[in-house]
Amino acid sequence: MEKFYISKNYRESNTASTKAKSDCEDIFQAYGYKNLGLSKKNYTNTFAGKIWTFLSACKAYIKMPYGEVIILQYKTPFIVSLFNRAKQRKNKVILLIHDIWTLRGLPEEDYLEIIRDADGVISHTPNMQEWLNKLLDISRKNIRLEIFDYLLPGNPDSSITNYQNIPSICFAGNLKKAPFLTKLNFPENSLSFDLYGPGITENMIENKSFIKYHGTFPPEKLISEIHNSMFGLVWDGDSINECTGTNGKYLQFNAPHKISLYLAAGKPVIIWKKMGMAQFIEKNNIGITIESLEEIPDRIKQLSEKEYIEMSRNVSVIKDKITQGEYLKEALDKIEQII
C-alpha cells in the first residue's frame, strides 16, 4: 500500500508553536509518505495561510486514494472531513496526536470519535496512552511516541556544557504563560535564570539579580543562544510548588515540545515530578524531576561534576535521535505493523 499525508501552511513563530507539526511532515516524507495536498508553506499573513491550508485540504479531499494508508495530524484544520473521506475510500487512517482539548477542559466530542475509529493512533506518554485506552478502548492500536522529534539542519553541535559552580537554568517560551516567574526567589549565588521569549513583565525581573532576560529568537537560532545553560526548565502555572491551572494539569499527560528543544540544544532538563514525561526523563537519566522549584539549588548541588557529565552524555544520545526524526520513524514502523 502507498502512504500519504496532507500538508498545510505553518506561520513562522518565535515560540516554536508550529515546529512540531512542520517537522512531522518532513519526517513523513523521509519515511516514504507522499503529500496529497499542496506543498508546505510558511505564509505569515493569516488570511493567505488559511486560504492555502483550505486549498490543500480541498485537493487532498478530491484526490483521496482508495485502499491506501493516510496519516493525519490531530488536530489540523478540516481533520474530521478528511478523516471521514479517507475512511469512505477504505483507507487505513493513522492519527498522530498533538493536542487533546478534553485534557485542557475544552469540548471535542466529535474529534474524540475519530480517535476511536482510527486504524492506528500515536499518542505521547504512558499517562496519555492509558487515558485514551480507558476512554476509547483503543489499547490494541495505540502506539506511544515517547517524545517529539526536533529536526535541526546540518550537523548540530554536540559539545557538552561545562559543570558550573553557579548553575544556569534556561526557561524559553511565551512568558505570559509563566506567572510563576514573579514568585521566584533564590539565595544569592545559588543559581542564575536565563529567560527567552515574548511576554516579559517588569515584576518577573524586578529586584531579581539572578534573572537575565535575553530576548526572543526563532526556534533554530534559540538552540545556539541557550548553549551556555546547564539545564532547561519546563514548568507552568502561577505556583512554584507545583504546576497549576489547565496547562499544569495537561503536563501530566502530554510531551511538551519544549523538552525536545532543550534536548536538541544538548541540555538536561528539570521538570515537575508529576509530568507525563517524568518516566522518560528518569529512565534515560537526562534530567531532574522535582516537586517544587525551591528544590532546584539543592538538587543540582547534590550532582557531582562526573554525574552531570554522564547526564549530558545521555542527552547527546537522545539529541542524535530527535534531531534526525528517529522517534516518529520508530512509532510509524510499529503502527504500520498493526494496521
Side-chain angles (χ1 to χ4, degrees):
M1 289 190 293
E2 287 194 286
K3 304 177 293 186
F4 298 90
Y5 71 98
I6 300 166
S7 190
K8 64 182 288 290
N9 181 74
Y10 295 100
R11 293 182 63 187
E12 294 177 347
S13 171
N14 284 341
T15 59
S17 59
T18 62
K19 182 169 173 56
K21 290 178 183 177
S22 179
D23 278 357
C24 287
E25 284 197 17
D26 294 338
I27 297 166
F28 295 154
Q29 195 167 61
Y31 200 71
Y33 284 70
K34 299 176 183 177
N35 181 15
L36 268 179
L38 300 176
S39 60
K40 181 170 67 173
K41 293 292 185 182
N42 294 108
Y43 293 130
T44 56
N45 180 278
T46 300
F47 179 75
K50 287 182 176 180
I51 291 296
W52 188 266
T53 294
F54 172 72
L55 293 175
S56 183
C58 287
K59 179 183 177 183
Y61 190 94
I62 294 168
K63 290 184 169 293
M64 187 67 67
Y66 187 94
E68 307 292 358
V69 175
I70 311 294
I71 190 164
L72 300 173
Q73 301 201 63
Y74 181 97
K75 305 186 203 48
T76 48
F78 316 109
I79 188 171
V80 173
S81 296
L82 291 168
F83 178 90
N84 290 336
R85 172 70 165 172
K87 294 296 288 182
Q88 288 167 1
R89 302 283 293 172
K90 307 299 182 184
N91 292 290
K92 298 287 187 180
V93 182
I94 302 168
L95 292 182
L96 170 57
I97 304 295
H98 282 274
D99 198 13
I100 297 184
W101 289 356
T102 302
L103 291 173
R104 295 181 183 270
L106 299 171
E108 60 176 341
E109 290 181 6
D110 291 344
Y111 291 99
L112 289 176
E113 287 182 8
I114 69 173
I115 297 179
R116 183 197 62 209
D117 296 337
D119 298 282
V121 176
I122 301 175
S123 52
H124 299 192
T125 66
N127 291 354
M128 179 181 286
Q129 197 174 31
E130 181 181 1
W131 183 83
L132 284 170
N133 290 346
K134 286 182 178 179
L135 181 68
L136 303 173
D137 190 23
I138 58 171
S139 57
R140 184 195 63 80
K141 57 185 179 182
N142 188 358
I143 298 297
R144 189 160 71 239
L145 178 62
E146 301 285 5
I147 187 171
F148 279 100
D149 296 301
Y150 198 103
L151 301 184
L152 292 177
N155 297 311
D157 178 28
S158 297
S159 59
I160 295 175
T161 304
N162 293 329
Y163 184 84
Q164 301 167 354
N165 292 325
I166 301 179
S168 55
I169 312 298
C170 164
F171 184 82
N174 187 343
L175 303 181
K176 289 181 180 179
K177 299 179 180 179
F180 70 87
L181 291 169
T182 64
K183 300 178 181 178
L184 291 180
N185 185 21
F186 294 107
E188 190 174 356
N189 296 326
S190 62
L191 55 73
S192 64
F193 246 79
D194 296 310
L195 301 184
Y196 301 84
I200 188 74
T201 61
E202 184 62 31
N203 58 352
M204 289 179 181
I205 57 177
E206 190 176 19
N207 299 322
K208 296 173 184 173
S209 59
F210 61 89
I211 291 183
K212 296 179 182 177
Y213 177 61
H214 298 272
T216 302
F217 301 92
E220 288 75 13
K221 188 173 182 184
L222 183 58
I223 291 287
S224 59
E225 289 292 327
I226 66 177
H227 73 280
N228 285 326
S229 297
M230 272 186 74
F231 290 92
L233 173 67
V234 180
W235 199 265
D236 215 308
D238 60 4
S239 172
I240 61 173
N241 294 314
E242 62 178 341
C243 290
T244 59
T246 302
N247 290 334
K249 178 185 176 183
Y250 193 51
L251 288 175
Q252 298 180 47
F253 297 93
N254 76 324
H257 200 235
K258 191 180 297 186
I259 291 181
S260 302
L261 161 70
Y262 294 142
L263 296 177
K267 306 297 142 196
V269 297
I270 299 174
I271 69 170
W272 187 33
K273 205 174 190 66
K274 293 182 180 180
M275 277 182 60
M277 286 295 293
Q279 180 180 319
F280 180 86
I281 300 304
E282 292 172 346
K283 178 181 70 176
N284 291 286
N285 188 24
I286 54 174
I288 297 171
T289 60
I290 57 174
E291 293 183 354
S292 168
L293 293 175
E294 293 179 328
E295 298 175 27
I296 293 178
D298 287 340
R299 289 294 303 277
I300 296 178
K301 194 178 295 184
Q302 292 167 10
L303 273 181
S304 67
E305 183 173 0
K306 181 179 179 181
E307 288 171 329
Y308 177 75
I309 291 173
E310 179 185 358
M311 188 180 285
S312 295
R313 286 174 176 160
N314 294 337
V315 169
S316 294
V317 174
I318 305 297
K319 172 181 178 175
D320 288 344
K321 293 186 68 174
I322 65 174
T323 56
Q324 299 299 317
E326 294 299 323
Y327 279 96
L328 180 51
K329 290 176 185 177
E330 289 175 8
L332 290 171
D333 184 56
K334 289 177 183 176
I335 207 156
E336 287 174 11
Q337 294 177 33
I338 64 173
I339 62 174

